[in-house]
Structure formats: structure tokens, C-alpha cells
Amino acid sequence: MTAAIDPVSRYSFNNDDPESVGRHSHLSDILDGLTFRRLATVGDLAGKRCLEVGAGGGSVARWMAEQGGDVLATDLNVRHVPVGAGFRVLRHDLATEPVPDGPWDLIHARLVLLHIPQREEILARLAASLAPGGAIVVEDWATEFGRLCLSAPDAGTAGIIEHYRDLLVNTVLPARGNDPTWAASVHERMVGLGLEAQTVVEAESWPGGSPGALLIAANVAQLRDDFMAAGFTEEHIERLYAAVRDPRLVVRGHFTYSTIGRRPHA
């Protein structure tokens, strides 16, 4: 029998944690470029109804508003979503509440559905709320692939990075409802929902001290108790924190699957 997931910790990373500020900043630095390029292919957003779910720090909602979109940004915890930035903000639980009233011309969800056990049902509800000709853009990480460390000053440093990835992907996040294989399945699921789908997969390398490397430390800081329960020690954590600041380290970012599903006009 699968243990119930506490609603307070349903999402893997809690916005009430002080470390979440840095995490949102790192994610924006890592992913906004790809996200903005993908959203730009959807078409002119001027006057279009746009829904940003799991808005995080609000950078994508702000971009959509700057393009002229009528934007509603939602999150389970909206404390990091700026108010007065040209869009509306709503505290909202995707897992238990209906999709905010549409129809929507554009829906965007980044690093959201892979953390929610009800992801398939939520995707179906989001797709159903699209206006004719509307698009949903789902961006998630496929984390099941190994060899995160591309280069390291020594074998011990490489080993600690791979140990981190193994615990994060196979133990810590799955215990919180995360599915590391979800991203690669989104395209097929969108097709099954009657959408016209198109996917781009992208990853970059990140040296120590860069946002991609520092995100590793932010992840461990937010989920420290989980990592220690899974076998990490204080020594492991100290070595990891030092490693991600060492410019001799180079890590591979997780593969980002950016899938656009369009609802036919007819």
C-alpha cells in the first residue's frame, strides 16, 4: 500500500523554505531562455488569455504579460510571485481544485506536473480548458539518465555528484510523488488527448559556481532531512557544497522536454 502524501509537502520543494528564493533564481537562469523561445513560437500573445500554473518566482508570467497577454499566474504557494507586475495572481491547488475558468489561449506549466501524482488527470483537465486553436506548453526534466558529472577535479568529487543524483532521482523525489520518466511521455499523452504535439529536448553543461551547478546545493539544502535519511552524511553534504562551487567541476543539466500541444480550431 502506498503511503498518503501530506498535502503540505505534496510538491517536492516548499516555497516557505528560505532556500526556495535561490532555487527559483537558479531555475530562471537555467530555463527561461528555452521557455521564452518556445512560447514565442505559439504566436502573438497580445490580448490572449494566458494561464501560468506553478508560477514559482513569476519570471514566465511576467514575460507573457510583457508580450501583451492577459495573464493569470497560479501556485500552491504564491509568496514568491510578484504582485503588481502586470498580471493577476491566484493561490491555487492543481491537484484538488478545478482549472481556473477558461477557455485559455495559452497554458504553461514548467517543472510542475512531474512532481504531482495526479499529473495525467491534471494534464487532461488543462487540455480540456484550451480555447480552439489554443496551446499548452509543458516543460519537465527527464532525470532518469545517469552520468551527471562531465568533468571533475578528482574521482571523489565525481562520485559525490553521482551519489547525489542517484539519491535525488531514485529515492528522495519519488517518495514525494515525482516521476523521473514523465517528461518523455508528455508528447504521446498530448496526442492521446487530441492535441497536435511538438517537442524540443535541450540540455546544457554547467561549471561549478554557475546556476546549474548551484541548483544542486539548493536542492540538498531544501531536502536535507530526506537526503540524510536516504544515506547522505554531513561529510557528504559539505563535500557537495564545496564541489558545486569549484570551477573545475562541470555537470550536465537534466534533459528538458518542452512539449507544445495545440488544440485544433475545428
Side-chain angles (χ1 to χ4, degrees):
M1 180 177 179
T2 303
I5 299 174
D6 183 348
V8 175
S9 61
R10 183 184 304 114
Y11 298 121
S12 301
F13 298 94
N14 187 347
N15 278 352
D16 285 327
D17 192 304
E19 296 290 341
S20 64
V21 176
R23 188 170 188 279
H24 286 309
S25 175
H26 296 327
L27 289 173
S28 178
D29 289 337
I30 293 168
L31 293 171
D32 277 359
L34 171 61
T35 294
F36 298 162
R37 291 194 301 274
R38 295 291 282 157
L39 293 178
T41 69
V42 171
D44 184 7
L45 296 186
K48 298 297 179 63
R49 300 194 68 200
C50 304
L51 176 64
E52 170 72 357
V53 297
S59 62
V60 178
R62 180 185 295 109
W63 184 90
M64 292 192 294
E66 290 171 352
Q67 311 313 305
D70 176 12
V71 181
L72 174 63
T74 73
D75 207 307
L76 184 64
N77 185 331
V78 298
R79 66 177 301 167
H80 299 304
V81 184
V83 177
F87 54 85
R88 293 166 290 132
V89 179
L90 174 69
R91 185 187 182 283
H92 179 261
D93 189 338
L94 274 174
T96 62
E97 297 179 285
V99 176
D101 287 342
W104 299 99
D105 299 300
L106 173 62
I107 299 173
H108 178 253
R110 187 173 77 186
L111 301 187
V112 177
L113 298 185
L114 81 166
H115 292 298
I116 309 176
Q118 303 92 334
R119 57 186 67 83
E120 293 182 36
E121 184 265 335
I122 292 171
L123 178 62
R125 287 195 281 113
L126 291 172
S129 71
L130 287 173
I136 179 170
V137 183
V138 174
E139 299 183 299
D140 278 321
W141 277 340
T143 59
E144 71 266 35
F145 303 100
R147 192 71 186 273
L148 200 64
C149 184
L150 300 181
S151 180
D154 53 66
T157 300
I160 199 70
I161 294 296
E162 297 305 332
H163 189 192
Y164 151 82
R165 191 212 72 87
D166 178 61
L167 292 183
L168 180 74
V169 172
N170 297 318
T171 302
V172 173
L173 291 185
R176 290 174 170 261
N178 178 284
D179 179 359
T181 69
W182 160 257
S185 73
V186 172
H187 187 114
E188 184 175 23
R189 296 185 189 285
M190 284 190 180
V191 171
L193 292 169
L195 305 180
E196 300 168 353
Q198 191 268 346
T199 297
V200 166
V201 183
E202 184 174 293
E204 295 186 41
S205 61
W206 298 92
S210 68
L214 295 176
L215 180 66
I216 293 173
N219 287 344
V220 173
Q222 277 204 265
L223 302 175
R224 184 186 186 94
D225 291 344
D226 302 63
F227 271 93
M228 296 194 72
F232 243 35
T233 65
E234 292 287 354
E235 180 184 358
H236 287 136
I237 292 174
E238 290 177 8
R239 290 175 60 195
L240 186 78
Y241 285 175
V244 300
R245 290 168 172 80
D246 188 333
R248 296 173 296 172
L249 174 75
V250 180
V251 295
R252 170 185 56 77
H254 296 302
F255 295 108
T256 306
Y257 281 66
S258 179
T259 302
I260 299 177
R262 298 177 185 269
R263 181 176 177 182
H265 284 277

